[in-house]
Amino acid sequence: MCPSKKPSILDVNVPSITIPSLRNSTTLTRTVTNVGGDTKSIYKAAIESPRGIIVCVNPEVLVYDTATKKISYRVTVSTTYQVNTVFFFGSLTWTNGIHAVHIVYLGERQQDDPKFVIDSHHEMLAKTVGSKEEASKLMVYNYKHGFSGFAAKLTEPQAQKLSEIPGVVRVIPNSIFSLQTTRSWDFLGLSADSPNNLLYNSKLGEGSIIGLLDTGIWPESESFSDEGLGPVPSSWKGTCESGDRFNATVHCNRKIIGARWFVDGLLAEYGKGFNMSGNIEFFSPRDADGHGTHTSSTAAGAFVKNVNYKGLGNGVARGGAPLTRLAIYKVCWNVEGGQCAAADILKAFDEAIHDGVDVISVSIASEIPLLPEVDQHNAIATGAFHAVAKGIPVVCAAGNDGPTSQTVQNTAPWILTVAASSTDRAFPTPITLGNNKTLTGQSTYTGKTIDFTGIVYLELDEHYAASAEGKNEALLLNATLVAGKVVLVFPSSPLRVSLTQVKAAGAAGVLLARNPAYAFAHCIDDFACIEVSPEVASRILLYARSTRFPVVKVLPSSTFDSKLVSPKVAIFSARGPNSIAHEILKPDIAAPGVNILAATSPISPFSFNGFDVLSGTSMSTPHVSGIVALLKLAHPDWSPAAIKSALVTTAWKNGRSGSPISAQGSPIKLADPFDFGGGIVNPNEAAYPGLVYDMTTDDYIHYLCAMNYNNYMISGLVGKQTMCPSETPSILDVNVPSITISSLMNSTIVLTRTVTNVGYPKSIYKAVIEPPVGIVVSVKPEVLVFDPATKKISYRVAVSTTHQVNTGYYFGSLTWTDGIHAVRIPLSVHIVYLGERKHDDPKLVIDSHHEMLAKTVGSKEEASKLMVHNYKHGFSGFAAKLTESQAQKLSETHGVVRVIPNSIFSLQTTRSWDFLGLSADSPNNLLYNSKLGEGSIIGLLDTGIWPESEAFNDEGLGPVPSSWKGTCESGDRFNATVHCNRKIIGARWFIDGLLAEYGKGFNMSGRIEFFSPRDVDGHGTHTSSTAGGAFVKNVNYQGVGNGVARGGAPLARLAMYKVCWNIAEGGHCAAADILKAFDEAIHDGVHVISISMGSKIPLLPEVDQHNAIATGSFHAVAKGIPVVCAAGNDGPTSQTVMNTAPWILTVAASSTDRAFPTPITLGNNKTLTVNILSHVGKLSTPNPVYASTHCIDDFACIEVSPEVASQILLYARSTRYIYTHNVSYLFSSSSLGLPSLGSFIYCHCFRIGIHRFPVVKVLPSSTFDSKLVSPKVAIFSSRGPNSIAHEILKPDIAAPGVNILAATSPISPFSFNGFDVLSGTSMATPHVSGIVALLKLAHPDWSPAAIKSALVTTAWKNGPSGSPISAQGSPIKLADPFDFGGGIVNPNEAADPGLVYDMTTDDYIHYLCAMNYNNYTISGLVGKQTMCPSETPSVLDVNVPSITISSLMNSTIVLTRTVTNVGYPKSVYKAVIEPPVGIIVSVKPEALVFDTATKKMSYRVAVSTTHQVNTGYYFGSLTWTDGIHHVRIPLSVRTKKTYADN
């Protein structure tokens, strides 16, 4: 009889748990009986939860004894999913530690005979377990071919005993290393275990043929077994070709159905006997390099069991479409790093199209600058066009030149271009320091644990060598210092070179601070090469420098697969926008391309048993190729464009946890369409996209005509006579699944798209718009109604902007949804607000100006009288004499961007001070309230001063302040009596420290220098005049502009401390001299110290005696003297900011509201405009990390952006001949008007056609000062976070540092009448120093910390127009606190901040103790005996005017700040919180009530996270406001759920 209450089928005691319908929480029961040999046993539960499922077991431990043989346990299962899903799989294991499989890895085989290898394994195991018989029972596998090792069932003590035997590299518990070689496919949802996905719905790719253009194939690899495959598809028309070590009959099979090789094009280029330089190569389809084998097996490799890499993991390897056939077209050869001739590529395309492939995969790219699609040399674009026209999708790599913007390659709209991402996997490698702190690196190191051994980082004298090798390479020359130790490397050479050098010196291992320019490399012969982030490297170095005998322990890597590991766009993956046509979004999609394990050539140097781990967009491309093969089988009627659309519109924008995907770079940022197109490929969703954006050959011709290619060239590409319409079509109407507007001006842009319904015949889709910031987007119609008769519908999108300034790109999306499908395309919009000309003919431009003015003033005659200037070249506009009412009337005229009073456009050489609100013409600002700096003394540590400069005249100055105790010192060409005055009241020089370092007779290498305070270089003169220079009339630079030059505090006195000397490139400044200068400056009575210098990365800790700036600054600040320092010029790389001590005021560099438009007119009458100060040749494109040089002798050297350079090159290449005397060298820069360190030349001289010649016209620059020009953080300005202590925000503030005109040494090579234009944080620093001098006069009782707080909390976050400030870089982005701290300095607001975050020496000691510096070193810095509390204080409680949390985990962090009221005595301030994305912030109390008795109040901030994965930093703010003051501090928070993903 069944019980009345129906029992649960889930409680049937079967050895499995299957829940077909999980809604809420379900609890079930199982009972287990102990039948082991040991009656007394303890079993623990180990759970591997299915994805998105929460599993709990009670009890978690089962304890058996002689009386207890049966125990029941309960399993509770719940779900995080909110929708129906397919089955997900996991496991529940009870283990007593006995029956656990371990892999015993022994490294390379010591015997060639496999039998000897097996016997040695059994012998080793027998010694451990007691007998050969027991060893045979416990043995699971022998690894005897590619390497030596075995798998056996072991107890933990047995495993431990085995690990201690000489010759055992490592003993690996089998369960920990669940490395699935097919992890990328599981990550993408194409698991071979699931019966309900695209893989199985497409029958694993059976019947499809993928053609690969690559380096060939290694046919013997198991990945290319044809076991289980049927006959070759009847559509196949290709062949196999024999050659060196490749027999077509033997090596082709039902898997590799075609193999051809093409080398004639390369031979024609190099000659028949080109030099292989010792490289192995085969004149056949056989692959020597391994690249083609890897891509082929990734796309369509067969199932291969028991694959691992150096014993790390064991699993089944396969391709995305494992039953798909392969056709190999070898076009790349192992010559000079891999060469592929255009002729060979094109021939391969031709043959592949003929042969009947279904997909073409090309993991090849060209170089920047790109060839236009119509160029015959662009073999990939040309071949791909013909393939796509035949219905064959072509999948290409985006390139590996990331993270620099505009580096994406293979940009033709008919190509599917693939970026690279990581997956949800990490390879954490624990690193334990001698202070018991454990940090995490990343590697695939599988060797033995490196037990505590010494750690070495060599510090050399600054003058050691000027060579590029740098410190670490020199260290390796001293083997006695390195042998047996772990070396910390900050590489200055490519990764593999550094590893070779370190290993050659006998090191035990290397910890490599990852240089963003280099990708991950293999470890050499199980040598421990562990990558660590710059942050981790700095923490290791900080520890090493703080102890006499630093030691480190390195454990082998483990594998960590989890939704806590969020996928990221790889740092090397090339970025958009598309340099040929911004309007065509590239890349299209991203796919796994980091640490991909697949087959390779066994002769490849890093092959392991025929497999290798590689990274690159070459690896992501075959992932998409495999998916495309599956999609073509599922939808044979879809065009290549439809397939691309399906992939783009359904891609993942978030990781598995729901958190947004990031893009690796410097810094890490949220990924945008220029990083990953539509997102990371989502194959299962792509099979059912709902709608697609389809395209045919006519659409591609529309694109080519829109690009203004001529009919002849388009016909050449298309292969038939083609005529473009007389009116050029809009490129914005090309039907790609994205909208990218590169130049949105003041008018509304309307564009069209057409969608095709491939889902339910009767469907209704509604538009959902996520507009980019400041962009207005509307769609008509807003609803699309499909039925069986209506399969295609067009819609229009209208786009306009609310921005009033030029911006970078902003991103959003447009999605059509029917409630089931969400068809999303990216929106990318760039604002160009300076008016472009509407006519190419300048006469038409002038006529339009006169006509517009005549309508306003009544007649053409009156218009002619009132007209002053016509702007007709770079942009359109005019200057005229107008009444206010006429100006108002004109401003309302259609097409007028803005009517600007002329006073805005007067070029002032002191523009930076006017920009900051400290105009000398205003009677109501900080400058005048502080009496222009009268009474203040600014001390500068620099290169000296040129005293004869008019900037240092003492006219109108009173006596020297009575507080001054300093002196002037004479020397070479400097007479203290003559050259010091009431302006320069002090001048000293310090060189003994440098002489002690170099010896008395150091070589000047032909350089001029004076042993005196006199300045040769000009740097010190420039900074001094910027900070406190007197008024100088009629100053200009090479005739550009004329005005009054002055410093920020023009009546302040100057004290120069010369510590930097012109003995080498960039100058040298000895620590001993700097410290002496600080000592004298403090004694002399300066009020502010300004230091435009810094150290090098990695930084010295503040307590290090070599850190003279931090040490000297500490003592100055303790005496109430603010110290202002440069942030450094190593931007835009993150963690490069210098001078990071919390008592220093650290200054970044920004531009101002000034532009220098320079018109460039091409022979096709297109005028392009660049914003750069040009001295009226050379069109130039410097490397984006450098900035512009001075022009020499009025030679026209004009920097253009890569975008403009590409347009010029596109024009030049679209004519017939290019000669270097027609279009000169092109230098491109992603930043304009910055200081240059050098440049490189793109010189392309080749024949394109016949008859015509490209020409160019360059006009002189003009000056444009307006709130329409938004300030930006300069590209060179060093960025945070602070590498010593993330929690202390650096830089603190930004100030003008781009194109600053100030006095210089007249013997400086670019001096013009004693003045020069320079850029750098060296120029930004004296701006702030001058402001600090004014603030100290206004508030003599304020401490240095109070002054810093006032500057930080009142700084500008937006430009004059109200638009957010951007940070120049690659790409340009919105500025965040790591770019500019609190913002751009706002001196007038800083004079009345309301509240300040004050600090004393005790606060700085709190910081030093929180940093775990020991009492001895702290006492050495502070100058008195100091004892830290027994419980280490929190660095988060240091009272800085910012909150930076570098590791927010699961718990809530609570921190404290204290504010001091310096405003109205009776005030009430309320908290306003702008939390960072995904961060919860609360403040207690929420209101602060001050009165005459209460001047200080503390508050607490609680911070927690909703993120489920590790993230980069997100930014927000906390503001206290009384309705008048807005005391804002930045919030910067990074979530760290696990350290596995550092």
Side-chain angles (χ1 to χ4, degrees), residues 205-227:
E206 173 60 52
S208 183
I209 305 167
I210 299 177
L212 294 103
L213 278 61
D214 215 296
T215 63
I217 196 163
W218 194 271
E220 292 86 354
S221 172
E222 292 179 82
S223 291
F224 309 124
S225 162
D226 64 357
E227 186 179 344

Side-chain angles (χ1 to χ4, degrees), residues 829-1073:
V829 181
H830 178 224
I831 314 304
V832 179
Y833 209 79
L834 296 182
E836 290 290 331
R837 299 180 307 152
K838 297 294 188 289
H839 306 286
D840 289 326
D841 185 341
K843 184 178 183 302
L844 291 175
V845 178
I846 293 171
D847 290 346
S848 69
H849 295 168
H850 280 265
E851 184 178 346
M852 181 181 289
L853 184 57
K855 288 180 181 177
T856 302
V857 300
S859 69
K860 289 187 176 181
E861 293 74 19
E862 185 67 12
S864 293
K865 291 178 186 176
L866 297 176
M867 190 71 74
V868 178
H869 286 301
N870 288 100
Y871 307 122
K872 54 189 181 291
H873 299 293
F875 57 93
S876 175
F878 57 88
K881 293 174 279 188
L882 301 172
T883 65
E884 284 298 319
S885 59
Q886 289 170 339
Q888 179 61 34
K889 185 176 179 182
L890 258 178
S891 71
E892 296 166 358
T893 303
H894 179 73
V896 173
V897 176
R898 190 172 179 223
V899 177
I900 308 165
N902 188 46
S903 58
I904 295 177
F905 292 92
S906 58
L907 175 62
Q908 300 294 318
T909 58
T910 57
R911 180 65 202 164
S912 57
W913 293 114
D914 293 343
F915 165 70
L916 294 175
L918 296 183
S919 170
D921 300 326
S922 172
N924 188 25
N925 60 23
L926 175 63
L927 180 65
Y928 272 88
N929 294 342
S930 298
K931 299 179 181 179
L932 285 75
E934 173 61 52
S936 183
I937 305 169
I938 302 174
L940 297 103
L941 277 63
D942 215 298
T943 62
I945 198 163
W946 194 271
E948 293 86 355
S949 172
E950 292 179 83
F952 308 125
N953 83 79
D954 62 357
E955 186 179 343
L957 285 172
V960 172
S962 58
S963 61
W964 177 246
K965 302 175 187 174
T967 186
C968 270
E969 298 173 353
S970 295
D972 291 351
R973 291 191 58 186
F974 194 96
N975 184 316
T977 306
V978 174
H979 293 128
C980 283
N981 58 13
R982 287 169 299 170
K983 185 68 174 180
I984 305 172
I985 62 174
R988 298 173 180 261
W989 49 291
F990 306 89
I991 196 171
D992 288 349
L994 202 64
L995 289 174
E997 214 49 46
Y998 281 84
K1000 292 289 182 183
F1002 57 73
N1003 181 16
M1004 298 294 295
S1005 302
R1007 297 173 183 275
I1008 300 172
E1009 185 52 281
F1010 302 111
F1011 287 88
S1012 75
R1014 184 171 290 279
D1015 180 19
V1016 172
D1017 179 84
H1019 189 277
T1021 303
H1022 199 282
T1023 57
S1024 300
S1025 62
T1026 300
F1031 290 90
V1032 184
K1033 296 180 180 178
N1034 300 319
V1035 172
N1036 65 78
Y1037 190 73
Q1038 297 191 2
V1040 178
N1042 192 63
V1044 177
R1046 67 169 176 89
L1051 299 189
R1053 316 306 172 100
L1054 298 171
M1056 173 54 65
Y1057 301 86
K1058 181 173 177 178
V1059 295
C1060 296
W1061 299 85
N1062 193 27
I1063 64 168
E1065 190 66 42
H1068 276 187
C1069 329
D1073 297 330

Side-chain angles (χ1 to χ4, degrees), residues 495-517:
L495 181 58
R496 289 183 184 174
V497 175
S498 294
L499 291 180
T500 302
Q501 292 169 330
V502 175
K503 187 171 187 292
V510 58
L511 304 176
L512 189 85
R514 183 170 186 161
N515 185 323

Side-chain angles (χ1 to χ4, degrees), residues 417-576:
T417 310
V418 186
S421 76
S422 60
T423 62
D424 54 355
R425 162 170 287 173
F427 300 100
T429 306
I431 302 161
T432 303
L433 306 179
N435 59 6
N436 284 325
K437 298 277 185 183
T438 296
L439 306 171
T440 305
Q442 294 283 328
S443 74
T444 53
Y445 172 58
T446 58
K448 286 185 175 181
T449 295
I450 300 173
D451 216 338
F452 282 108
T453 188
I455 183 169
V456 178
Y457 173 77
L458 185 67
E459 298 179 62
L460 299 175
D461 298 329
E462 288 295 325
H463 68 278
Y464 174 75
S467 65
E469 284 74 16
K471 294 181 180 179
N472 293 292
E473 286 72 11
L475 153 68
L476 304 175
L477 301 176
N478 189 343
T480 58
L481 197 64
V482 174
K485 296 184 175 66
V486 172
V487 181
L488 178 62
V489 179
F490 285 79
S492 57
S493 60
L495 181 58
R496 289 183 184 174
V497 175
S498 294
L499 291 180
T500 302
Q501 292 169 330
V502 175
K503 187 171 187 292
V510 58
L511 304 176
L512 189 85
R514 183 170 186 161
N515 185 323
Y518 306 129
F520 188 77
H522 297 75
C523 290
I524 304 165
D525 301 329
D526 289 325
F527 180 62
C529 50
I530 317 301
E531 284 190 0
V532 294
S533 68
E535 176 186 358
V536 169
S538 294
R539 291 170 70 180
I540 295 170
L541 186 58
L542 208 57
Y543 156 72
R545 283 170 163 168
S546 66
T547 183
R548 290 184 65 191
F549 301 106
V551 292
V552 66
K553 178 180 180 180
V554 179
L555 277 73
S557 308
S558 59
T559 305
F560 189 79
D561 299 333
S562 169
K563 73 175 186 178
L564 298 184
V565 180
S566 183
K568 299 177 181 69
V569 178
I571 192 169
F572 55 76
S573 188
R575 306 301 212 265

Side-chain angles (χ1 to χ4, degrees), residues 402-404 516 534 568-571 575 662-672 675 1130-1136 1275 1277-1282 1286 1367-1380 1511-1515 1534:
T404 303
K568 299 177 181 69
V569 178
I571 192 169
R575 306 301 212 265
S662 299
Q664 288 181 318
S666 192
I668 292 175
K669 66 180 185 69
L670 290 182
D672 61 52
D675 300 314
D1130 290 327
T1133 303
S1134 65
Q1135 296 192 62
T1136 52
I1275 193 170
S1277 188
S1278 288
R1279 306 303 212 263
N1282 175 347
H1286 273 217
Q1368 289 182 316
S1370 190
I1372 291 175
K1373 66 180 185 70
L1374 290 182
D1376 61 52
F1378 295 150
D1379 299 314
F1380 66 174
T1511 69
Y1513 279 93
Y1514 290 101
F1515 304 98
R1534 179 175 62 181

